[in-house]
Amino acid sequence: MTYRADLLRIVQTVVAPNAAEVDQHSRFPRAALNALGAKGLLGMTISRTVGGGGQDVRSAGRVVEQVARVCAATASVLRSHYSAAAVLDRSGPHWLRAEIAAGRHLSTLAAFGSAGEASSHGDVVQVRARKNWVIAAGEADSYVWSCGTGLWLVPAEAPGLLVPADHAGMGLRGTVATCVRADPVRVPASNRLWSEELAFPWFMVLGAAVSLGLMEGALAAAIGVLGRYDPRTRPDLARMRLRTDSVRVLYNDTLSAVTWHPDRSADRVRLLAVTATEAAVAVTDLAIKVCGDAAFRRDLGIERRFRDARAAAAIEPAVDVLLDSVEI
C-alpha cells in the first residue's frame, strides 16, 4: 500500500494553505487530520488484521517529515498520534485499533511530567497525575497516559480529566499542547497497556523527523528568497544544507538500529533526538540571518519555523536529561 500521492496532495492542498492560520490563531489542524484520516494515513501504522496499513516507524517518519516541511504543528500532532498508536496496536482493545485504522480516532501521548500514581479498586483503577506538553490536549479522542510504572488508556471524555482552555505559546501553536491533569481519573483495570518500550523510540525518532522537515522547509524558503548563487549568503546556505544532511545520515542509521537491534538502540535514539533538535534551531536561525527583513514575511513561513524549532526543543524530555542518560 502506498500513501505518497495522497500525502503530497493533502500537504499541498490542505496542510500548506492553512499553516499560517493554524499558527496565528493557535488553531488545531482538524481539517488536515480529517483529510489524512480519510486516506488511511492516521491508521497506516496499525496492523492489517484490523484494517490498518501495517507500516513501521520509518514510513511514519516519511509522513511526519513531509508534513513538517510546511507545518510543524500538524506534524507534531502526527508524531504523538503515531507514538500512541504504536502502543495501542500492541495492547489496545480491538475496537479501538479498528477505529484508528479507519482514521476515525486520534490518540496522543501523555507521558511527561509527574509520575503520579495508579491505585486499584476492584475492577477500576484510579489514575492521578499531571502531564506536561500534552499534544492535542482537549482535541484527541484518547490519551496513552503514563502513571506509576505503567501506561493506561484514558478516554478523552473520562470524568476528572482537566484540560486548560489557554494554549498560547511561542511556537507549535496548532498542537494546542498544554498541561493536563488527572484529578483523579477512573478507568477500567482492563485499560492497562503493556507496550511501554514502544512509546519512547517512536516519539524520539518521529521528533527527529519533525526537525528534518523544519530544516528542509527553512532551507527551501531561504533559497526561494535568495536564489542558490548569491555569493554573500551561499556559505550560510551551505551550512544549512550540511547540518540537515548530517542529521539525515544519523536519522537513517538510527532507524536501522531501531529496526534490527531495538534492545540496543536506546542511546542512539537519544543522541539522534538531541542532534536533530539542536540542528533545527541552528538551521532556522541561519534562515533568519540570511533572509534579513524578508524572514519576517508571514507568507514565507521562515519566522514561524524559527519559533517552531525552539518550541520543539522545549518538549520533554529535555536535551540535558537525554544526554545524562547516554552511556559514555
Side-chain angles (χ1 to χ4, degrees):
M1 183 179 294
T2 177
Y3 299 94
R4 181 176 174 80
D6 287 333
L7 174 62
L8 291 176
R9 182 184 58 79
I10 293 169
V11 167
Q12 292 168 1
T13 62
V14 184
V15 182
N18 290 302
E21 186 176 359
V22 163
D23 172 69
Q24 183 179 0
H25 299 291
S26 300
R27 184 166 296 163
F28 190 70
R30 181 62 65 183
L33 294 167
N34 287 344
L36 291 164
K39 292 299 182 181
L41 286 150
L42 290 186
M44 64 179 289
T45 62
I46 298 295
S47 300
R48 290 189 173 93
T49 56
V50 292
Q55 303 295 308
D56 60 7
V57 67
R58 187 184 296 271
S59 298
R62 293 192 189 103
V63 173
V64 169
E65 181 190 339
Q66 195 67 44
V67 173
R69 293 186 183 208
V70 297
C71 183
T74 305
S76 295
V77 174
L78 290 172
R79 169 196 187 185
S80 195
H81 168 74
Y82 286 140
S83 301
V87 176
L88 292 170
D89 195 41
R90 289 287 185 90
S91 57
H94 184 279
W95 70 267
L96 179 56
R97 295 166 61 213
E99 284 293 293
I100 297 173
R104 294 190 294 263
H105 187 99
L106 181 73
S107 194
T108 193
L109 284 182
F112 308 113
S114 66
E117 59 182 9
S119 53
S120 297
H121 304 273
D123 293 333
V124 175
V125 172
Q126 181 171 282
V127 176
R128 187 187 297 272
R130 174 189 171 99
K131 295 303 175 183
N132 303 326
W133 256 105
V134 179
I135 292 170
E139 296 285 351
D141 300 301
S142 67
Y143 300 81
V144 172
W145 191 286
S146 67
C147 191
T149 59
L151 294 175
W152 300 88
L153 171 61
V154 176
E157 67 274 12
L161 196 65
L162 306 178
V163 182
D166 184 10
H167 304 288
M170 179 182 70
L172 297 178
R173 293 171 176 167
T175 63
V176 297
T178 189
C179 295
V180 178
R181 285 192 297 155
D183 192 33
V185 167
R186 294 175 178 85
V187 296
S190 58
N191 280 26
R192 176 71 184 265
L193 302 170
W194 302 97
S195 304
E196 293 95 332
E197 73 281 357
L198 286 174
F200 173 78
W202 276 69
F203 194 71
M204 294 295 101
V205 168
L206 296 180
V210 173
S211 293
L212 277 169
L214 276 167
M215 290 187 282
E216 293 286 4
L219 181 56
I223 291 173
V225 171
L226 301 166
R228 295 178 182 272
Y229 302 108
D230 186 332
R232 298 169 301 170
T233 60
R234 187 167 176 78
D236 281 331
L237 291 175
R239 290 186 181 95
M240 293 168 70
R241 181 77 271 163
L242 178 61
R243 290 297 293 267
T244 304
D245 288 350
S246 297
V247 172
R248 190 172 299 284
V249 170
L250 181 58
Y251 177 79
N252 288 330
D253 183 65
T254 303
L255 280 173
S256 296
V258 168
T259 300
W260 300 108
H261 305 288
D263 55 328
R264 302 198 301 272
S265 64
D267 277 353
R268 193 161 304 183
V269 168
R270 293 185 181 98
L271 291 173
L272 169 65
V274 171
T275 302
T277 296
E278 294 184 340
V281 169
V283 167
T284 55
D285 185 69
L286 280 172
I288 293 285
K289 173 188 173 184
V290 298
C291 293
D293 291 345
F296 297 92
R297 284 172 44 190
R298 186 170 295 168
D299 60 311
L300 297 177
I302 295 173
E303 178 267 347
R304 168 166 49 86
R305 292 180 177 94
F306 174 85
R307 288 185 287 103
D308 285 349
R310 277 148 186 78
I315 295 177
E316 296 185 45
V319 165
D320 285 352
V321 172
L322 289 170
L323 290 175
D324 189 54
S325 303
V326 172
E327 187 172 342
I328 306 299

